[in-house]
Amino acid sequence: MTRHTTDDVDVAVIGCGTTGLALTRLLAMEGLRIAAIDPARVPRAFPRATHLDDETMRAFQTLGLGHLEERFSLSGVYRFYDPQWRPVMEFPFNKGITEQGWHSDYMFHQPDFEAVLRGHAHNHPETTSFFGWDAIELTSSADGVRVRLRERATGEEHELTASFLVGCDGANSFVREQLGCTQTDYGATHRSLIVDILPFVQKESLAGRDAFIQGGIRNPLTFLATAEPLLRFEQLLRHDDDTAAFERLDHVYELLSPWLSADEYRVLRADVYEWDAVVAEPWRSGAVFLAGDAAHEMPPHLGQGMASGIRDAMNIAWKLGRVVRGESPREILDTYETERKPHMTEFVKLAAQMANEIEAMQPQAPEEGADVPVTERETLRPQLGAGIWAGDDEFAGRLSAQPRLASGQRIDDVAGYRFAVVAAEDCVAQLGEATQATLRSLNAEVIVADSDESKSWLKSLDTVAIVIRPDRYLFGTAATAAQLDALVARLDTELTERAQP
């Protein structure tokens, strides 16, 4: 709904890039009243993010965007070259279908994603969209947050009150500035020239889905085949390089000349960006929260910037829903930062390390006739920080798998964005009456592990039942029906009687 007929909402979301739009969609699924605010009147025409992993694709599935997968592109091999273009090392970027039920890696076109989610916001009767509006003032009170907005096109101003506000407004966050947050710097500030092009011809040297980086030169160069047919080149700047000189079109034409003539493509973007590796402190002040790049930034080399913001949205939306509906105390909102900050900081540190290594790398090609080393890329799956999960369970606080059931459905399609119990058939049959009542009060879905894939998953965890949170992280596991009864009771206590962590 775009009509500005309300000045009282449950949650105001400031900034509607990938994180803010995902959060808006999830809050709508929670049945809340939302104000979605962004200075851009229409989705930005060029992508900022280009990569998503299997966990993010699983989140897209939850958002109702699984059908977009057919528009995404898979990745091939990632190669490292020395200054003479001799291969140094390579690894397969895509590992195929993973335990998450999707391919390990995709390249996508961000404007399409944002267009679909803006459409969902428009269609939701309890979402009021302020696209083309700036937030110019925030005032917190005991009743929530008062927000003053100004429309860019007309100068019209509007005020609204929100019980909660989430700032998803990017690296230069207005909300973070208003909160007076500090930032922990992990020492990886870099500038890169980002050149996105639409080629008019096909070149064998750029064919396929492979990517490369050439190191050991003054300005290391990265190439990515993004969402077909788009291509991206990234050139790392040194500290004394002039931004304006790198952004000039003549420089772009010269940079791409080994592969394409200047008349063989259209430049969609040629801009220098500064990347930082920083984490805000704190992420919350009263009823105001930070998410996405407003809370944490990282260099792009790990491909986890957008993914981390989506994880933020998946984590906080169900908690806000429970608090707004009066099902949980406000203290559970403290677990948003305690869980997410340690988790995503692992990605920031690794991305910072990679950025610094690329700048300093002096690759050495193998001896003539020797095989190019092939390495296996490890998938980073950190455990959540302290929060709503069974801390004495080695599997709790970690991302769950998503096997298919005998019906062919993926587990999340059955569970929806809510708690779920996945258990062996005989364990489900032994659920106590109190446990069944608690699960009904939680609106939790009970799913029988009736396929070989789901049974194998339980067996790999040496358990007969698991409890999955709405954000797909495990609350805990149970080896017997009696342990499942106790685990569900523990979850109920965590959600309804939680003290501050």
Side-chain angles (χ1 to χ4, degrees), residues 184-190 276-279 296-302 304-305 308 340-357 380 382:
T184 300
D185 191 336
Y186 289 90
T189 297
H190 296 278
D276 294 302
V278 294
V279 179
H296 43 77
E297 304 169 49
M298 67 185 78
H301 305 91
L302 198 60
Q304 286 292 320
S308 294
R340 286 291 304 131
K341 183 181 285 184
H343 184 277
M344 58 71 45
T345 298
E346 293 298 310
F347 290 96
V348 173
K349 289 179 178 178
L350 182 56
Q353 176 185 330
M354 291 180 66
N356 290 330
E357 287 176 350
L380 185 60

Side-chain angles (χ1 to χ4, degrees), residues 164-178:
F164 297 97
L165 183 147
V166 185
C168 307
D169 49 341
N172 299 313
S173 171
F174 165 77
V175 177
R176 187 181 66 232
E177 180 182 359
Q178 295 298 298

Side-chain angles (χ1 to χ4, degrees), residues 186-221:
Y186 289 90
T189 297
H190 296 278
R191 291 177 297 152
S192 292
L193 172 67
I194 307 298
V195 179
D196 288 332
I197 66 167
L198 173 64
F200 303 141
V201 297
Q202 289 190 346
K203 296 286 185 173
E204 185 176 349
S205 58
L206 298 177
R209 302 300 306 163
D210 293 350
F212 67 73
I213 181 167
Q214 184 190 26
I217 57 179
R218 175 177 171 83
N219 301 108
L221 179 66

Side-chain angles (χ1 to χ4, degrees), residues 26 68 98 105 121 145 162 225 278 310-311 384 400 427 433 462:
L26 293 167
L68 293 181
T98 74
D105 297 272
V145 185
V278 294
I310 298 291
R311 293 186 190 102
L384 295 175
S400 71
C427 180
E433 291 185 6
D462 195 23

